[in-house]
Amino acid sequence: CNPSQLTASGQELAGPQLFGLCLGFSGTPNDLLPKSMGRCAYADGDDGKILAVLSCTDVVSMTELSSWTPETLLDMIAGARAASADVPK
């Protein structure tokens, strides 16, 4: 551990210490919010939109693997390219 390295969790960064008010907590579409933020306020249709994107073949592809290790899986993901081969998937 580096004694001069600063670290903080998302909960600490969203807490009242820095700004006094937190209006959102990105990436948390469930009730696992810091207690100080109260209950999650869901927008109508959010879950459906997430499922639509995750099931869209323009966004997501599938490759069946007969065997894999964490290392080979990460290597495959890191090397994935879009159809144009210019940008990562």
Side-chain angles (χ1 to χ4, degrees):
C1 184
N2 183 341
S4 62
Q5 182 178 358
L6 297 175
T7 61
S9 69
Q11 184 171 353
E12 292 165 329
L13 293 174
Q17 307 85 293
L18 291 179
F19 303 107
L21 175 68
C22 182
L23 298 176
F25 205 71
S26 179
T28 311
N30 56 45
D31 287 321
L32 297 175
L33 292 170
K35 287 186 179 195
S36 62
M37 290 187 66
R39 297 201 37 99
C40 186
Y42 298 97
D44 285 343
D46 278 355
D47 289 341
K49 290 175 187 173
I50 291 169
L51 288 174
V53 169
L54 292 177
S55 61
C56 176
T57 56
D58 292 338
V59 177
V60 179
S61 63
M62 184 192 84
T63 302
E64 189 172 335
L65 303 174
S66 58
S67 65
W68 57 273
T69 66
E71 291 83 10
T72 59
L73 184 61
L74 290 172
D75 285 343
M76 185 181 77
I77 293 167
R81 295 282 169 202
S84 69
D86 295 332
V87 294
K89 277 189 173 181

